[in-house]
Amino acid sequence: MGSEGLGGAAQQVQWEQPHPGPAPGRLGPAQRAADWERLRDELFDILVIGGGVVGSGAALDAATRGLKVALVEARDLASGTSSRSSKLFHGGLRYLEQLEFGLVREALRERELMLTRLAPHLVKPVSFLYPLTHRIWERPYVAAGLAIYQTLGGDRSVPGQAHLTRAGALRLAPALRRDSLIGGVRYFDAIADDARHTMTVARTAAQYGAVIRTSTQVVGFRREADRICGVRVRDCETGQEADIEAHAVLNCTGVWTDEIQRLSGGRGRFRVRASKGVHIVVPRDRIVSESGLILRTATSVLFVIPWRNHWIVGTTDTGWNLDLAHPAATRADIEYLLDTVNTVLATPLYEEDIEGVYAGLRPLLAGESEETSRLSREHAVARVAPGLIAIAGGKYTTYRVMAADAVDAAVPDLPGRVAPSITDKVPLLGADGYHALVNQADALAARHGLHPYRLRHLLDRYGSAVHHVLALATGRRELLAPVPEAPDYLKVEVVHAASHEGALHLEDVLTRRTRISIEYPHRGEACAADVADLMGEVLGWDAAQRHREVEIYLARVAAERDSQREPDDSAAATRRAGAPEARPGLLTPVS
Ligand SMILES: Cc1cc2nc3c(=O)[nH]c(=O)nc-3n(C[C@H](O)[C@H](O)[C@H](O)COP(=O)(O)OP(=O)(O)OC[C@H]3O[C@@H](n4cnc5c(N)ncnc54)[C@H](O)[C@@H]3O)c2cc1C
């Protein structure tokens, strides 16, 4: 294997096998057991509810300020909105039209930080073509907008805008219908695998001492007089309950914010409503283009985003007041996406082209009161009671700023002086040494008998933590083989997900640690049994438990497929609700 990788530099470098030592921020079964004891026995400065990007960011922010912090997540890291976004780190061109320059500047600063210092292994530049359809006014209008976008971005590691004639735009994106544009403008933003990024933020927090525990649901609050002094949690695997004491509790639960607020018994300062956004995933060869596309729609924009060997097309924007954990895409959502993208494609996309579909819920602020401390138009943070902070709204790109704001808001509840946020100087796990490893990729690939392409793929998922992944295959070369029916991933990645990345169920690996559920038309069905066997080795599953995991996953896929044939939200949600939860002890609803 990997003969192309054995030439040139690879043969000259005397590669010294680095001994990876214990993995930092390891989230495995032993850690999980020990963390339950810690949650029960210790007093924390900050207890974070929610393992989405905001909660994980808050845990990292607090831990790196020297605070003692724990995070509890009811399901899996990023299992809510943070695995279901458009995956862009961007300023948001539409905010420019609303003259929200401050917001755009803040988001672009975050984009730059991610690309250069904090997560260069996970966040990559991505090109977009904006097809022009109106003569005379549109080009200068878009050019001026993008010039401001670039200027607000300050230092930037992505190329600036480029203006294209119709012929030039069609050379870049031959898939476009000739009569769908009169020219185009190309610009760059950035993209990341959101679920992997969130999990990496959480593991980085664990590396700095935070307790990170998934399948741990907040089911009640502890009070002393009018003060919140902790929470009651339930282990969603065993049904066991315990109390956790903390000086301050941060509600970082996105679309569940109101539910947690109700559970706390107090009135919130703002409310959060959910808006559903659906994406479809199609094979890369179905749209011939060297660039992503951004298309104007009647109310917003539609993105066609390059994603490995695929395109992600999205998104919709409709209100949702049904099951928050399982937003369901309908036939109407899918038809809207196909119809919209087909207005510009020379060869239309059909339903049969779709490899995957996913739906997520935007946590939008609603009903803010005057007392709300509004740190920006995009997110709100408030000390809703002594000892309880709520933060919501915003977007993925600005999670680090939101996290810092949430911890700042908790300062009055914390004993002693609290250091300012330093997360703009804290690279995520795997970032240190990443660039050097990219240059050494051929040699490292040869060392492990892998194709350099495969090694680079691993580096973009794990960065310098790749050593810990590959070390698991020492003496077990069979783990360096691809996952059957999902060859983009190696078997060792599944083992690593269970032993180091906190994956507890088949769906955690098939939908978030890998993206097999949206990248393959079989949606994970064809490899579920193999993946269960690999996970089961680490998690101690017997044959019955492996069987149960596979059955639950297959039921989930079947329910999602069924829901996607339904005409409306209510019918689709009913179909989706037919599948059982993987976490046997989860309370839905929580109160
Ligand atoms: C379709 C769509 C596209 C988007 N695209 C982009 C984009 O391209 N770029 C961008 O910047 N932003 C984007 N966003 C916005 C972004 O994804 C969200 O703002 C962000 O992911 C929200 O993160 P969060 O941590 O607040 O919420 P979540 O990720 O939902 O996390 C909340 C967590 O709280 C947990 N929880 C709930 N109840 C409990 C309990 N009782 N106990 C313990 N845990 C609990 C949940 O399980 C969940 O994991 C998009 C959003 C959508 C819906």
Side-chain angles (χ1 to χ4, degrees), residues 49-55 72-76 78-82 84-90 216-218 252-256 259-260 275 277-279 315 360-363 393-398 590:
I49 314 175
V53 74
V54 176
V72 289
E73 160 56 49
R75 294 174 176 81
D76 183 26
S79 56
T81 307
S82 297
R84 303 155 186 256
S85 77
S86 302
K87 315 193 187 316
L88 298 176
F89 274 84
H90 63 161
T216 307
Q217 185 177 26
V218 169
C252 302
T253 53
V255 290
W256 287 270
E259 182 176 298
I260 295 296
S275 145
V278 174
H279 293 85
T315 175
L361 297 178
R362 300 177 186 84
K395 55 189 200 171
Y396 198 106
T397 307
T398 50
V590 70

Side-chain angles (χ1 to χ4, degrees), residues 208-231:
Y208 287 101
V211 171
I212 303 288
R213 200 164 193 278
T214 59
S215 272
T216 307
Q217 185 177 26
V218 169
V219 293
F221 279 82
R222 285 168 53 78
R223 293 176 162 276
E224 263 169 27
D226 66 341
R227 193 187 160 74
I228 298 290
C229 60
V231 294

